[in-house]
Amino acid sequence: MGYVLKTKDMDAILKKWGGDAIIFAPVRYAGQSEFSGQDSIRYGAVKSIGDIVFDEKSSFTFKEALLPLCETLFYFTENSVKEADGKEKSAIIFLRSCDLHALRVFDEIYLNSGPADYYYARLRENARFILMGCEKSFRNCFCVDMGTNISQNYDAYIKLDEGNVHVDNKFDGWTADFESAAQSSATVTPDYVTDTDVHVRIPENLSLDVMDSNMWTEYDTRCINCGRCNFSCPTCTCFTMQDIHYTDNGWAGERRRVHASCMVDGFTDVAGGASYRQGNGQRMRFKALHKVYDYKKRFGYHMCVGCGRCDDVCPEYISFSTIINKLEQGMEEVTVNDEK
Amino acid sequence: MDMNTKKLKKNAFRITKKRYLTASRVRVPGGHMNAELLAAVTKIAKEYGNGTVHITSRQGFEIPDIPFGDIPKVNELLQPLIEGLHINQQAKDGGYPSSGTRNITACIGNCVCPYACYDTTAFAKRVEGAIFPNDLHFKIALTGCPNDCAKVRMHDFGVIGMTLPQYDKGRCVNCEACVKACKKKSVEALKTVNFKVERNHAKCIGCGECVINCPTRAWTRSSEQYYRLTLMGRTGKKNPRLGEDFIKWVDEDSIVKIILNTYGYVKEYIDTSAPGGKEHIGYIIDRTGFAEYKKWAMKGVGLGSDAELRETIYWGGVDYT
C-alpha cells in the first residue's frame, strides 16, 4: 500500500521502531573521509529521516549491519566456551536496488550454501529492508547492465520529497503504523534508473583462459592492494578469523571474525607459511573473475551488482567496469594464442 | 633626485642596484589568490616595469625596473590586489604598508593536498589580519603536515598541521595498512597487538598517514585541529639554524596569541642600535635567555589539555661568529 506522510510523522514511526530495532542508513560523517575537511557517507544508526543521505552514494554498504566488520563469535577459557550474545535489537536497513540484489548474494553464501551461518542468520532473521530509489544514476554506476536497477523484494520503499515522505509498504507488521500516520493514500512506485553513463559488456565466451591474458599485468604496478574495493563492495562476503588470548593470563580469550580482502596481503596464507597470488595483477584477476565469472558458474547469476563503489573509492583510479570491458579483448588475445 | 629611502621601503618598494629604478613588492598572504588579480601584476609590469615579474621565495611578486616617479601610479594599480587579498591598509591607493614583518607563507594546504591537515591559506590570512602592518622583522610560515613542504622550520614561527588520529576498534580488520604506512612513511608509532593497533602517543607526530591509508574508516581525523609550533629557525650570516619544537598539539588561538605576545617582547628587548633598527628575534632570545622569552610568549595563553609545552629549548645550527 502507498501512503504520503509528513516528515515528522515518519520520524515518530522511526522512533517507535527504534524501540526494538536499530535503523541503519547512509549517514554523513562530517570531516571523516581520509582527507581533512571532507565528509564521508557511510552506514550508521539514524533516529530521523533527516539523518539519512538520499542524494549521494555511500562509500560503504549495508552489509556491515549483517556482517559486522569485526564480530566476536565466542569466548573461551580452558574447558568452556561461551557464545557471544546476539544483538538485542534487530536491524531495519535503508538501501538501494543494487544493494537489495547484493543481499541475495549474501543470503546465497551465508544461508543457502550448505548449513546456514549461525551468526549471519541471527542478524538476518528479523532484519527489514527499506528501499531508497534512484532518480538518476550516480558516477560509476552500471546497475542497468547488471540487471540490478529494479527491486521488488523490499519491505517498504521510502522517498523524501519536499517535506513529505512517500511510502510503499509491503510488510504487514508496519501497515498499522503507516495507516494511522498517513495524510493520504497514494500509489507510490519506486524511482529507478533505466540508463547509466557507464556501460559494461561481459563477453559470452568468457572462460578461465582469460587468466593467461596480459590484461592483468598493468595492475601489478597500478594496484596498491589496499582492499578498499572489497571493503566497500556490497557483495564481498569473505571473512577471516582471529583468536585473541587475553594478555593477563593467556588462558582465556575470544574468537572474532573480521572482513577479509582478497587484495590485501595475508588473504591466501596457509599452514606451512605458503601464500598465493603474490602479484596484485593476479589478485585483480581473481577478484574480477569471481565477480563476473566463477559465481555465475555456480549460482546462475552475476555476483557484481554494478554499484560502482569499487571505482568510487579506489585511490589509484582503477575502474572495475573498465576491467570488465577489457575481458573481451583479453579473450581474443588468449584465443588467438590457442590457434597458433 | 630626492627620495626618502626609509619611506620607500616602508611602502614595499625596494632600493635596487639600478639607480632611480625601484621594484614593487606584492605580498600574497598564504600564497593563494583569485587568478583575476594577476591582471594587475601584469599591467604594472607592462606599463611601468620592464615587462617581467619575479616570483619571490616568500610567495609574492616583485615587479622590477619601475622608475621612482611612477610609484604613485603603481600604488593605485595595486589597490585591487590589496583589497582582493584583504591586506590591512592605512590609506587607500597608498600601496602596500610596511615591509618589516615578511609575507606569511603557506603550502597549498587541504584545499588540494591529500596530506594537509588544515586550510593553510585561511590560517595564514588570519595571522595576516592580526599582525599587519608591522615594522618588526618576523618570518612566519604554515605547512599542512609534517612533510613541511613550506620549510617552516627555517622561520621564526613554524606552524605544522597535525591531526589526532581517532581509532574505532570495531571497524579495524587488521589489514595493517596503517602500521605499514606509519613505519615506512612516518615514525613507526603504531604496532599490532592482538590483531588491533596500538598508537604510541608520545611518538605520534599527527601526520594522518594512518587515516589516509585506512581502507575501512577505522582511523579518522579528530574534529579538533592541532598544530606543532616551532620556534626561531633562521637563515642569515651569523648562525643559521632550524626551528625547534615549542608546543606539540597546540591550538590555533594560542598560536596567534603567542605571535602577538612576541611583538611585545621584541619591542621591549630589541637592540635599538641594530642596523636599520632591525634585529632577528632569535638573536634577541639568545641575549635574554629562553626563559624570559617564554614568560612573555605565554602571557594569557590558555593551552588545551592535549598541548605539550617544552620546558626549555637549545638551538643548534652553524655558528660562523
Side-chain angles (χ1 to χ4, degrees):
Chain A
M1 265 300 281
Y3 309 95
V4 179
L5 288 75
K6 290 277 179 219
T7 309
K8 65 174 176 56
D9 296 329
M10 186 67 227
D11 283 345
I13 292 176
L14 291 182
K15 193 178 175 189
K16 185 193 164 206
W17 292 352
D20 45 26
I22 297 174
I23 301 157
F24 288 102
V27 179
R28 177 177 301 278
Y29 287 83
Q32 290 202 9
S33 94
E34 52 264 71
F35 309 125
S36 81
Q38 235 173 41
D39 301 343
S40 158
I41 310 292
R42 55 182 166 86
Y43 272 73
V46 298
K47 290 203 161 18
S48 84
I49 203 86
D51 295 342
I52 303 171
V53 176
F54 282 93
D55 58 355
E56 283 182 66
K57 202 199 302 183
S58 65
S59 48
F60 294 92
T61 73
F62 75 97
K63 72 178 178 182
E64 295 171 8
L66 298 177
L67 186 77
L69 275 150
C70 176
E71 182 180 22
T72 299
L73 305 184
F74 56 79
Y75 303 90
F76 54 82
T77 62
E78 287 132 295
N79 295 312
S80 65
V81 168
K82 185 201 175 291
E83 183 185 290
D85 294 335
K87 293 247 174 19
E88 281 177 14
K89 292 185 173 184
S90 60
I92 296 172
I93 300 168
F94 280 75
L95 77 186
R96 297 183 188 277
S97 175
C98 53
D99 300 326
L100 262 175
H101 284 266
L103 177 67
R104 180 185 181 196
V105 173
F106 260 79
D107 288 349
E108 198 86 80
I109 299 289
Y110 280 100
L111 300 178
N112 307 332
S113 302
D117 181 284
Y118 174 82
Y119 299 95
Y120 178 80
R122 73 181 184 181
L123 285 171
R124 173 73 173 87
E125 196 180 5
N126 296 311
R128 296 281 153 202
F129 299 91
I130 297 177
L131 179 68
M132 304 160 74
C134 295
E135 285 173 65
K136 56 181 176 50
S137 78
F138 296 100
R139 190 189 283 263
N140 298 325
C141 290
F142 50 97
C143 56
V144 178
D145 292 354
M146 298 312 291
T148 63
N149 54 325
I150 304 173
S151 288
Q152 294 299 334
N153 56 328
Y154 51 83
D155 292 303
Y157 163 75
I158 283 183
K159 178 184 175 161
L160 194 58
D161 190 19
E162 293 172 3
N164 288 323
V165 178
H166 300 250
V167 179
D168 181 36
N169 181 45
K170 292 188 176 184
F171 175 48
D172 293 341
W174 289 341
T175 305
D177 294 330
F178 288 121
E179 289 282 349
S180 60
Q183 301 284 310
S184 59
S185 298
T187 307
V188 177
T189 48
D191 290 328
Y192 64 89
V193 297
T194 54
D195 195 16
T196 56
D197 292 339
V198 172
H199 287 284
V200 294
R201 228 169 70 90
I202 302 167
E204 291 291 329
N205 66 341
L206 185 62
S207 76
L208 288 182
D209 292 344
V210 82
M211 284 169 69
D212 299 327
S213 160
N214 286 319
M215 68 174 277
W216 310 108
T217 50
E218 71 169 284
Y219 302 107
D220 281 335
T221 48
R222 282 186 68 192
C223 172
I224 59 168
N225 65 58
C226 67
R228 279 173 176 77
C229 48
N230 298 120
F231 297 124
S232 65
C233 174
T235 69
C236 272
T237 55
C238 288
F239 63 81
T240 188
M241 290 297 191
Q242 300 174 341
D243 282 355
I244 288 94
H245 295 262
Y246 300 147
T247 47
D248 276 359
N249 67 18
W251 294 100
E254 65 182 76
R255 173 167 291 184
R256 298 177 194 145
R257 73 172 169 194
V258 297
H259 286 200
S261 156
C262 55
M263 304 305 294
V264 169
D265 289 348
F267 184 80
T268 61
D269 288 358
V270 294
S275 74
Y276 307 93
R277 297 194 301 274
Q278 298 291 358
N280 295 340
Q282 285 305 302
R283 293 182 192 183
M284 191 66 80
R285 181 267 304 163
F286 174 83
K287 180 188 76 182
L289 293 185
H290 191 59
K291 295 293 176 196
V292 298
Y293 179 79
D294 304 330
Y295 183 94
K296 186 182 180 187
K297 202 170 170 192
R298 181 160 165 190
F299 297 109
Y301 59 96
H302 283 304
M303 188 180 210
C304 176
V305 293
C307 73
R309 286 186 178 92
C310 46
D311 282 27
D312 299 340
V313 300
C314 180
E316 300 299 322
Y317 284 88
I318 293 169
S319 156
F320 188 64
S321 54
T322 304
I323 291 174
I324 295 178
N325 287 330
K326 280 179 182 171
L327 289 169
E328 187 165 346
Q329 210 186 340
M331 280 307 293
E332 273 172 33
E333 176 196 334
V334 291
T335 315
V336 169
N337 285 345
D338 282 352
E339 283 162 5
K340 270 181 191 167
Chain B
M1 166 63 82
D2 179 82
M3 174 57 68
N4 182 334
T5 60
K6 305 287 187 296
K7 275 191 180 169
L8 181 98
K9 287 183 203 168
K10 291 273 172 281
N11 196 195
F13 286 93
R14 186 197 276 277
I15 298 300
T16 71
K17 59 182 273 196
K18 293 183 187 167
R19 206 154 172 83
Y20 313 117
L21 293 181
T22 181
S24 169
R25 308 173 88 183
V26 177
R27 294 190 301 105
V28 182
H32 206 87
M33 64 196 285
N34 192 324
E36 282 184 9
L37 295 175
L38 289 169
V41 176
T42 309
K43 194 169 159 73
I44 294 168
K46 275 175 145 175
E47 290 183 15
Y48 299 103
N50 65 11
T52 72
V53 171
H54 180 75
I55 298 170
T56 73
S57 61
R58 290 209 71 82
Q59 297 186 318
F61 302 102
E62 187 151 333
I63 312 167
D65 288 357
I66 296 170
F68 281 165
D70 289 333
I71 287 176
K73 283 180 233 157
V74 169
N75 276 341
E76 267 177 48
L77 288 177
L78 285 171
Q79 194 59 29
L81 275 157
I82 284 162
E83 283 169 16
L85 295 170
H86 306 288
I87 303 287
N88 291 336
Q89 195 185 30
Q90 282 138 333
K92 192 171 182 293
D93 293 331
Y96 274 84
S98 187
S99 60
T101 294
R102 300 301 199 261
N103 189 42
I104 297 160
T105 58
C107 72
I108 194 158
N110 80 349
C111 62
V112 173
C113 179
Y115 296 105
C117 295
Y118 68 104
D119 184 340
T120 51
T121 307
F123 194 177
K125 285 184 170 164
R126 181 179 168 190
V127 178
E128 157 90 20
I131 65 173
F132 276 89
N134 213 303
D135 285 345
L136 294 173
H137 193 286
F138 276 50
K139 285 181 178 165
I140 302 164
L142 299 93
T143 201
C145 79
N147 283 346
D148 192 8
C149 296
K151 297 166 185 64
V152 304
R153 281 184 192 273
M154 311 269 294
H155 292 69
D156 299 316
F157 294 96
V159 177
I160 301 172
M162 297 174 81
T163 191
L164 182 57
Q166 310 289 305
Y167 184 51
D168 179 353
K169 271 189 177 183
R171 294 191 70 82
C172 178
V173 300
N174 190 44
C175 74
E176 295 203 302
C178 56
V179 178
K180 288 175 191 165
C182 190
K183 181 177 180 180
K184 288 180 184 160
K185 298 178 77 182
S186 193
V187 298
E188 204 174 350
L190 302 180
K191 66 172 178 181
T192 302
V193 177
N194 256 343
F195 299 100
K196 296 291 176 194
V197 183
E198 279 186 5
R199 186 180 65 92
N200 181 339
H201 184 66
K203 227 177 174 191
C204 177
I205 58 165
C207 64
E209 282 287 352
C210 48
V211 183
I212 293 166
N213 286 284
C214 179
T216 64
R217 301 270 54 77
W219 287 109
T220 50
R221 288 168 191 276
S222 50
S223 50
E224 291 264 325
Q225 183 61 59
Y226 296 95
Y227 306 89
R228 182 190 297 272
L229 179 63
T230 67
L231 281 190
M232 306 305 139
R234 65 188 175 205
T235 55
K237 297 187 180 82
K238 289 170 187 280
N239 173 210
R241 65 192 189 188
L242 289 180
E244 289 286 336
D245 288 1
F246 184 32
I247 314 175
K248 186 180 174 187
W249 307 112
V250 65
D251 63 293
E252 193 171 314
D253 291 350
S254 296
I255 291 172
V256 174
K257 214 170 236 178
I258 288 167
I259 293 171
L260 284 169
N261 284 344
T262 304
Y263 278 96
Y265 163 84
V266 170
K267 277 176 197 143
E268 175 74 15
Y269 287 112
I270 194 166
D271 176 2
T272 47
S273 71
K278 276 198 223 166
E279 190 183 23
H280 278 106
I281 319 162
Y283 292 103
I284 304 174
I285 295 176
D286 293 347
R287 200 166 58 241
T288 68
F290 176 71
E292 180 63 12
Y293 168 71
K294 189 175 167 187
K295 201 176 79 189
W296 280 76
M298 298 308 292
K299 266 183 208 167
V301 176
L303 292 178
S305 56
D306 298 308
E308 295 168 17
L309 175 69
R310 279 275 289 276
E311 264 315 303
T312 189
I313 297 178
Y314 299 102
W315 284 272
V318 197
D319 193 346
Y320 295 112
T321 59

